[in-house]
Amino acid sequence: MNIRYRVELSQAERDELNTMLKGGRHAARKLKRAQILLAADAGSSDEEIARVAAVGGSTVYRTKRRFVEGNLEYAMSELPRPGAERKLTGKEEALLVATACANPPAGRRRWTLELLADAMVKLTDHDSLSHETVRRRLAENHLKPWRRDMWCIPQINGEYVARMEDVLDLYAEAPDPKRPVVCFDETPVQLIGEVRQPIPAEPGQLERYDYEYRRNGTVNLFVFLDVNRPWRRVNVTARRTARDYAHCMRDLVDVHYSEASCIRVVQDNLSTHTAGALYEAFPPAEARRILRRLEFHYTPKHASWLNMVEIEIGVLNGQCLDRRIDNAERLTSEIAAWEYQRNAAGDRIDWMFTTDKARAKMGRAYPEVVKESEPL
């Protein structure tokens, strides 16, 4: 017989359930039960409750029954679910985590699911252990021992902060055509040729290309990006020596910004990025003429993310260079087409990190100020 359970909540129970629904910080199943009980208390039919709460009729029935036969806590709680017991006990799971965080066996670069399963069989009384069991327990502990990240911790001292805020303040200044801000960097590109001609795509068939390729050497890209207007320039060179750098700076002054009184260049600390590079490439009078119109601003060490042109290089790689290009002439042509299209479209980098945000987010990393001692 299908018993009809009548739900009558006290005012305190209604308030508790309404607060739970407004907070929204509980499991979805628990919020569904709260909706069911409140709707049942309001006199809604089981069919209407199931439709509004998007649950089955049996869920509505079980929730009402558990409230009537027990209490609110019993109706909202989770019952043990059927299924096989966990293969690993709590101690064994801790042993698995410790093993995955330790060094891999001799002769192996990293742990795999197979190696971990074999290791657990040796360390416990289990006759066998599936890879899936190992994977699930590792996933629950947010572990992926077959992956690793490369990272670099910068030394955030007074010099780091000073350079960071100098660059951020440049980005925040109002645009001044007479004193433009230009970000500069370089990146290598490998020239890759095909050994066999790729097969073009056709309906129902992806483009196919041979895994084998031919290395045709490397070239260098010098990349300029204006912070305040949609302009970027990419120079393809055979090398990235101090002389190549110096000629790029001369072009920046004489060709691209001939009307500017001072060009403020944001760049990293590469050994060739110096005023001395111009004296190595040009006579002293010429080097001095160029440098009078340049003002160098250096990003902190291990803080390339502060150079806006790094983002632009990422866009260039994704939109243009992520393919096989076999010679410098074709590379130059393809980059020129990409550069023209991006400039014509008015694309810019939307930089949002400011000095105020740096002080708010990185305040703890800033050097501590030593208070001056009071005079005697």
Side-chain angles (χ1 to χ4, degrees):
M1 183 176 69
N2 191 3
I3 303 175
R4 295 284 180 177
Y5 292 98
R6 183 180 180 83
V7 174
E8 295 181 353
L9 300 173
S10 66
Q11 189 58 46
E13 291 171 335
R14 293 189 193 97
D15 294 341
E16 180 181 347
L17 294 177
N18 282 315
T19 300
M20 183 185 301
L21 290 174
K22 290 178 181 179
R25 297 181 180 178
H26 299 274
R29 289 192 296 270
K30 199 167 188 178
L31 296 177
K32 291 288 186 183
R33 296 189 193 103
Q35 292 177 333
I36 292 169
L37 292 176
L38 286 171
D41 178 62
S44 300
S45 66
D46 289 3
E47 293 77 11
E48 184 179 359
I49 295 173
R51 180 179 56 82
V52 173
V55 296
S58 59
T59 300
V60 176
Y61 180 82
R62 286 196 304 270
T63 303
K64 293 172 63 177
R65 184 190 65 192
R66 293 181 64 188
F67 175 79
V68 173
E69 294 180 350
N71 52 30
L72 181 62
E73 181 180 358
Y74 179 64
M76 300 296 294
S77 62
E78 286 281 347
L79 289 177
R81 293 178 175 271
E85 294 183 0
R86 295 170 73 97
K87 190 73 175 282
L88 298 178
T89 64
K91 289 184 178 180
E92 291 171 342
E93 187 171 327
L95 178 60
L96 172 63
V97 171
T99 303
C101 293
N103 293 328
R108 301 301 291 264
R109 187 173 71 88
R110 61 189 179 188
W111 285 106
T112 63
L113 295 178
E114 182 180 359
L115 288 175
L116 286 169
D118 292 342
M120 290 301 295
V121 169
K122 295 177 182 178
L123 295 172
T124 63
D125 294 332
H126 293 287
D127 295 329
S128 64
L129 201 63
S130 71
H131 301 170
E132 181 64 12
T133 297
V134 173
R135 187 195 66 78
R136 288 181 178 179
R137 300 295 83 79
L138 292 176
E140 289 175 359
N141 290 276
H142 307 288
L143 274 176
K144 295 180 180 179
W146 51 90
R147 293 186 58 185
R148 59 178 184 168
D149 290 332
M150 180 182 291
W151 55 287
C152 176
I153 300 178
Q155 183 180 359
I156 302 181
N157 51 22
E159 180 66 17
Y160 183 102
V161 171
R163 290 191 176 190
M164 176 180 68
E165 294 199 350
D166 173 55
V167 172
L168 293 178
D169 285 347
L170 277 181
Y171 292 165
E173 285 185 12
D176 183 356
K178 292 294 183 180
R179 292 171 54 82
V181 180
V182 178
C183 294
F184 170 81
D185 202 3
E186 64 273 306
T187 183
V189 174
Q190 189 173 28
L191 300 174
I192 300 295
E194 300 286 359
V195 175
R196 297 175 181 84
Q197 190 65 25
I199 301 174
E202 59 184 35
Q205 180 66 60
L206 298 175
E207 178 187 9
R208 287 170 288 175
Y209 63 95
D210 199 293
Y211 75 95
E212 189 177 357
Y213 57 87
R214 181 184 297 109
R215 292 192 177 102
N216 294 334
T218 60
V219 295
N220 176 70
L221 306 183
F222 286 118
V223 187
F224 296 94
L225 176 74
D226 193 304
V227 169
N228 294 309
R229 67 186 179 98
W231 178 86
R232 71 272 300 137
R233 174 69 178 175
V234 183
N235 291 344
V236 182
T237 62
R239 299 170 304 277
R240 62 169 190 177
T241 64
R243 291 179 60 85
D244 297 310
Y245 168 80
H247 281 85
C248 280
M249 290 298 113
R250 184 172 66 175
D251 288 346
L252 188 66
V253 167
D254 293 342
V255 178
H256 305 304
Y257 290 90
S258 58
E259 302 298 324
S261 60
C262 177
I263 306 163
R264 293 170 292 176
V265 180
V266 177
Q267 57 188 355
D268 61 22
N269 301 273
L270 194 67
S271 59
T272 57
H273 295 177
T274 63
L278 281 85
Y279 283 91
E280 295 179 20
F282 307 117
E286 176 69 358
R288 195 67 222 153
R289 179 189 71 82
I290 298 170
L291 287 172
R292 284 195 183 101
R293 295 180 54 205
L294 292 174
E295 182 180 288
F296 295 140
H297 295 260
Y298 293 96
T299 59
K301 189 177 181 181
H302 300 312
S304 60
W305 59 273
L306 280 166
N307 195 339
M308 204 180 290
V309 78
E310 292 283 350
I311 302 174
E312 190 68 18
I313 291 174
V315 176
L316 171 61
N317 286 328
Q319 293 184 349
C320 179
L321 303 182
D322 189 18
R323 51 181 164 156
R324 294 177 180 178
I325 300 178
D326 58 354
N327 61 75
E329 291 75 18
R330 183 187 169 205
L331 177 71
T332 302
S333 174
E334 292 291 332
I335 290 178
W338 171 87
E339 177 189 302
Y340 174 80
Q341 293 167 9
R342 193 155 166 80
N343 286 340
D347 293 324
R348 293 178 54 188
I349 303 300
D350 186 15
W351 186 268
M352 303 181 67
F353 195 63
T354 63
T355 298
D356 290 338
K357 289 183 178 180
R359 292 174 182 175
K361 293 177 179 278
M362 303 171 60
R364 293 182 179 180
Y366 272 54
E368 294 185 5
V369 178
V370 180
K371 295 182 179 180
E372 296 182 3
S373 58
E374 298 181 358
L376 298 176

